[in-house]
C-alpha cells in the first residue's frame, strides 16, 4: 500500500474516531520508546514530510547539546488508536531525521533495521526475513528499590510467589507455583489468565496478532504471550507495541510488568527466543533435505549465528542483568551448539510442523531487554555472514547439554559470562555488521562506550548488598 493511501486512511480514521491528539513514538538508542503529543489540528499531510522537531541531546546515546535539533517523521503504516490514553489519541511510530539534510539519523535504531532489510535484498539471497520473538515477562504486585551512598536494596513481591506460601493473607489460599514449576498450570495456580487475556484483547485492538498465551516456568508471576511472526521491521515495531500494551494493561490492573531478564534469584529468568526464516519471491528458503529438514542455506545461517554469538550478545543481551540469566543449571542456553527440539542448545530447530513454510531456526540466547531493531538486524547480519561465507555449523548436539560429562562439555564453546566480555567480543568482531553500512563504526563505538560507561562501570563501582553477606566480617 502506498503512502498516499495510508495517509488518506489515517485522516479518515482521525475523523471517524473524533481523534483529539496525535502521539508520536520513537525509539532511543538503548531501546526505550519515547514520545511527544500534538493536538490534532496541528497535524496535517505535511506532517508526514516535514515532521516535528525535538531535542536530540536529551535522548540517551544521541546528540551533543551543540547539535541537538532533530526531526521525527511518522510512518503512516504504523498507526493505531492508543487504548491507554483517556482522550481519543492516535499513535504513529516515527523515524528520526537530521533536519539539515533530511537524511535518516545513523543512530536511529529503526533506520538500522531498514538498512538491514535493504542489504538482504541487495545480496539476492532473499527478499524477506521473518522474525518471531517470544518475550517472557514477570507480573509483580509490589516493587521497591533504591541505591544511595549508604544503602542499596530491592524488594519484589507477587501473590503467586512460592516464598509467600506461609504468609498470613487472611486467608492465604495457597495454590502458588513452586520454583521452576510454573509452566502451563491451570487456574487457580495460574492466577493471571484473566490479566493475560485482557492483554491479548488490547494487543488485538492495536493490530498485533497473537497466537497463544500461558504461564511460564518461574514462580512469582512469569508469563508469555506469543505474537505472530512478521517481516523484520514490522516485527520490531510490534514487539514495542507488545511491551507497551502488556505494561499498561498491568498498570491499569494495579500490577506492574518487567521484561528484566533475571529479577528473581534461584528461579528461571525471562528470555526472548527469536525465530528466524528467510524467504524469496514468496517461497521459504530454510526447508530442505539436510539435518532436521533444513536447507544448506539454513545450516550456513546457523553457522554464522554460532560463529558470532559472543559479539551478538552485546546487542541481543545488552544489560548486566542479562548475564545473571545466562548461567548453567536453568533453561537459558549458555553452550553454543544447535539441535532439533533440544532446548538446551543456543540454536534450536522447532519440529512442531513438517510444512516447509514453518521451517525456521530459533536463537534462544536473546532476552527482552534488547532493542529489537538492533537485535533483529544483528542476528540477520550474523546469519547472512554464514550464508555468504558458507560457514559450517559443525555437528548438531542432540544430547541434553547440561548432563554432558565434563570431557565432552569442554569442547562446546560457551556464551560470555558478563556484559563487559560481550562488549569486548563486539569490539573485536563486528565487521559482519558493517556490510551494506547497516551498522556503522560510529554506532558500534557509541554502543560499546555507552554500555561500558553507563552500565558496566556503574555496577562495578558500587557495593552490592550480597557483598555484605559474604564480606562484612572480614
Amino acid at each position: 500500500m502506498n503512502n498516499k493511501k495510508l495517509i488518506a486512511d489515517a485522516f479518515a480514521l482521525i475523523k471517524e474516531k473524533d481523534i483529539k491528539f496525535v502521539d508520536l513514538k520513537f525509539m532511543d538508542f538503548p531501546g526505550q520508546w519515547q514520545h511527544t503529543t500534538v493536538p490534532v489540528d496541528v497535524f496535517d499531510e505535511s506532517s508526514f514530510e516535514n515532521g516535528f522537531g525535538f531535542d536530540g541531546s536529551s535522548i540517551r546515546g544521541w546528540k551533543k547539546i551543540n547539535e541537538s535539533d532533530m526531526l521525527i517523521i511518522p510512518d503512516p503504516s504504523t498507526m493505531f488508536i492508543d487504548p491507554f490514553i483517556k482522550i481519543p489519541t492516535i499513535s504513529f511510530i516515527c523515524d528520526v531525521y537530521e533536519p539539515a539534510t533530511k537524511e535518516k539519523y545513523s543512530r536511529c535504531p529503526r533506520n538500522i533495521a531498514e538498512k538491514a532489510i535493504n542489504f538482504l535484498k541487495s545480496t539476492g539471497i532473499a527478499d524477506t526475513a521473518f522474525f518471531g520473538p517470544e518475550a517472557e515477562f514477570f507480573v509483580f504486585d509490589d516493587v521497591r528499590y533504591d541505591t544511595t551512598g549508604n544503602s542499596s536494596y530491592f524488594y519484589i513481591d507477587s501473590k503467586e510467589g512460592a516464598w509467600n506460601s506461609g504468609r498470613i493473607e487472611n486467608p492465604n489460599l495457597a495454590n502458588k507455583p513452586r520454583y521452576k514449576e510454573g509452566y502451563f498450570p491451570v487456574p487457580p495456580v495460574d492466577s493471571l489468565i484473566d490479566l493475560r487475556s485482557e492483554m491479548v484483547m488490547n494487543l488485538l485492538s492495536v493490530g498485533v496478532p497473537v497466537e497463544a498465551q500461558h504461564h511460564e516456568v518461574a514462580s512469582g508471576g512469569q508469563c508469555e504471550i506469543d505474537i505472530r511472526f512478521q517481516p523484520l521491521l514490522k516485527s520490531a515495531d510490534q514487539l514495542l507495541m507488545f511491551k507497551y500494551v502488556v505494561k499498561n494493561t498491568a498498570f491499569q490492573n494495579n500490577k506492574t510488568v518487567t521484561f528484566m531478564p533475571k529479577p528473581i534469584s534461584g528461579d528461571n529468568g525471562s528470555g526472548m527466543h527469536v525465530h528466524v526464516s528467510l524467504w524469496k519471491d514468496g517461497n521459504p528458503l530454510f526447508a530442505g533435505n539436510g539435518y532436521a529438514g533444513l536447507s544448506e542455506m539454513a545450516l550456513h545461517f546457523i553457522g554464522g549465528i554460532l560463529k558470532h554469538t559472543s559479539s551478538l550478545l552485546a546487542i541481543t543481551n545488552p544489560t548486566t542483568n542479562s548475564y545473571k540469566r545466562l548461567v548453567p543449571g536453568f533453561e537459558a542456553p549458555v553452550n553454543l551448539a544447535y539441535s532439533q527440539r533440544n532446548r538446551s542448545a543456543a540454536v534450536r530447530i522447532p519440529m512442531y510442523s513438517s510444512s516447509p513454510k514453518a521451517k525456521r531456526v530459533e536463537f534462544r540466547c536473546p532476552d527482552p531487554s534488547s532493542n529489537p531493531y538492533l537485535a533483529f538486524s544483528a542476528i540477520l547480519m550474523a546469519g547472512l555472514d554464514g550464508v555468504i561465507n558458507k560457514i559450517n555449523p559443525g555437528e548438531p548436539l542432540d544430547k541434553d547439554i547440561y548432563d554432558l560429562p565434563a570431557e565432552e562439555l569442554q569442547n562446546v564453546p560457551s556464551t560470555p559470562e558478563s556484559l563487559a566480555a560481550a562488549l569486548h567480543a563486539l569490539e573485536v568482531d563486528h565487521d559482519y555488521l558493517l556490510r551494506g553500512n547497516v551498522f556503522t563504526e560510529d554506532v558500534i563505538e557509541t554502543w560499546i562506550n555507552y554500555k561500558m560507561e553507563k552500565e558496566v562501570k556503574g555496577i562495578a563501582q558500587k557495593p552490592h548488598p550480597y557483598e555484605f553477606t559474604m564480606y562484612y566480617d572480614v
Side-chain angles (χ1 to χ4, degrees):
M1 190 179 294
N2 63 45
N3 269 11
K4 286 187 177 180
K5 177 65 165 60
L6 292 169
I7 292 170
D9 289 347
F11 283 105
L13 186 62
I14 286 171
K15 182 177 181 180
E16 176 190 345
K17 300 296 184 181
D18 195 23
I19 297 297
K20 304 299 184 185
F21 288 94
V22 178
D23 199 57
L24 305 168
K25 296 177 170 68
F26 64 99
M27 174 62 82
D28 71 5
F29 199 49
Q32 294 290 322
W33 248 0
Q34 311 294 317
H35 80 133
T36 185
T37 311
V38 300
V40 73
D41 60 4
V42 304
F43 190 83
D44 56 29
E45 289 191 15
S46 68
S47 301
F48 291 98
E49 182 177 351
N50 298 327
F52 296 85
F54 73 101
D55 176 10
S57 68
S58 296
I59 305 299
R60 298 180 298 172
W62 278 9
K63 291 286 192 174
K64 297 178 180 178
I65 197 166
N66 61 315
E67 51 182 21
S68 61
D69 289 352
M70 304 191 77
L71 287 175
I72 47 174
I73 298 180
D75 180 341
S77 70
T78 64
M79 68 177 176
F80 64 95
I81 304 295
D82 197 312
F84 304 107
I85 300 176
K86 183 177 180 180
I87 297 173
T89 300
I90 192 170
S91 284
F92 293 93
I93 300 173
C94 300
D95 293 303
V96 182
Y97 286 76
E98 295 278 10
T101 63
K102 274 295 186 73
E103 293 180 350
K104 290 185 177 180
Y105 181 41
S106 62
R107 294 184 197 171
C108 171
R110 200 166 189 264
N111 177 35
I112 292 169
E114 290 172 339
K115 289 194 292 182
I117 298 165
N118 291 334
F119 174 72
L120 170 66
K121 294 176 180 178
S122 75
T123 65
I125 293 169
D127 53 36
T128 306
F130 284 108
F131 280 76
E134 299 175 354
E136 298 164 343
F137 57 93
F138 279 87
V139 179
F140 293 136
D141 294 293
D142 187 37
V143 177
R144 289 177 279 131
Y145 54 88
D146 197 12
T147 298
T148 65
N150 68 320
S151 70
S152 182
Y153 79 98
F154 71 90
Y155 176 85
I156 58 178
D157 205 7
S158 164
K159 291 179 180 178
E160 283 198 354
W163 57 86
N164 284 324
S165 60
R167 184 172 68 178
I168 297 174
E169 294 181 349
N170 298 314
N172 186 327
L173 301 178
N175 293 304
K176 303 181 191 301
R178 289 181 286 270
Y179 293 110
K180 299 189 183 183
E181 295 186 23
Y183 192 65
F184 275 32
V186 297
V189 176
D190 178 7
S191 69
L192 297 170
I193 183 171
D194 286 335
L195 177 63
R196 290 197 307 273
S197 293
E198 186 177 340
M199 291 171 177
V200 169
M201 295 301 292
N202 284 332
L203 285 165
L204 294 173
S205 77
V206 300
V208 178
V210 174
E211 294 188 334
Q213 55 106 328
H214 58 85
H215 204 284
E216 257 299 340
V217 174
S219 183
Q222 191 181 34
C223 297
E224 181 177 317
I225 298 173
D226 296 330
I227 59 177
R228 186 169 176 78
F229 67 90
Q230 301 286 357
L232 189 155
L233 183 62
K234 188 169 185 179
S235 181
D237 284 343
Q238 291 202 340
L239 182 57
L240 294 173
M241 294 168 68
F242 169 82
K243 294 175 77 171
Y244 179 74
V245 167
V246 165
K247 287 181 177 182
N248 278 282
T249 305
F251 188 75
Q252 287 184 336
N253 285 273
N254 203 34
K255 293 182 181 290
T256 180
V257 158
T258 182
F259 289 90
M260 187 176 175
K262 189 74 170 180
I264 295 176
S265 176
D267 211 337
N268 282 43
S270 291
M272 185 179 74
H273 309 146
V274 179
H275 298 251
V276 190
S277 62
L278 298 183
W279 291 54
K280 187 174 184 180
D281 298 327
N283 297 309
L285 301 179
F286 276 7
N289 299 317
Y291 173 79
L294 292 176
S295 65
E296 185 179 53
M297 179 186 294
L299 289 168
H300 289 154
F301 194 93
I302 292 171
I305 289 177
L306 293 178
K307 176 182 177 181
H308 298 296
T309 294
S310 291
S311 59
L312 263 181
L313 262 58
I315 297 172
T316 63
N317 302 68
T319 67
T320 58
N321 185 254
S322 298
Y323 299 85
K324 293 176 172 62
R325 166 183 168 260
L326 292 175
V327 294
F330 296 89
E331 289 192 4
V334 296
N335 299 290
L336 303 184
Y338 73 102
S339 173
Q340 60 181 345
R341 304 176 66 180
N342 190 343
R343 293 173 183 269
S344 60
V347 177
R348 186 175 76 99
I349 300 92
M351 303 298 290
Y352 298 123
S353 172
S354 60
S355 169
K357 293 183 177 181
K359 190 58 63 178
R360 61 198 187 274
V361 301
E362 177 191 6
F363 186 33
R364 294 178 61 81
C365 294
D367 69 55
S369 69
S370 59
N371 182 326
Y373 299 113
L374 303 184
F376 296 170
S377 298
I379 292 169
L380 176 61
M381 297 302 288
L384 288 177
D385 186 59
V387 175
I388 292 168
N389 291 303
K390 300 187 184 305
I391 297 174
N392 188 332
E395 293 299 315
L397 191 57
D398 289 329
K399 302 175 183 179
D400 183 344
I401 296 174
Y402 295 132
D403 288 337
L404 281 180
E407 58 271 18
E408 287 188 57
L409 188 59
Q410 68 181 1
N411 296 320
V412 181
S414 299
T415 57
E417 295 182 353
S418 67
L419 178 57
L423 290 168
H424 176 69
L426 179 61
E427 191 172 28
V428 299
D429 176 31
H430 62 257
D431 285 351
Y432 67 98
L433 297 172
L434 303 178
R435 281 198 176 102
N437 200 39
V438 175
F439 289 77
T440 64
E441 288 283 5
D442 171 70
V443 166
I444 298 296
E445 182 180 349
T446 302
W447 181 263
I448 292 171
N449 289 342
Y450 180 90
K451 288 289 174 178
M452 286 297 296
E453 293 297 323
K454 300 291 186 179
E455 299 178 30
V456 172
K457 290 183 180 179
I459 289 290
Q461 295 170 357
K462 291 180 175 60
H464 189 284
Y466 194 60
E467 290 178 313
F468 284 80
T469 301
M470 296 188 293
Y471 305 132
Y472 184 77
D473 60 348
V474 296

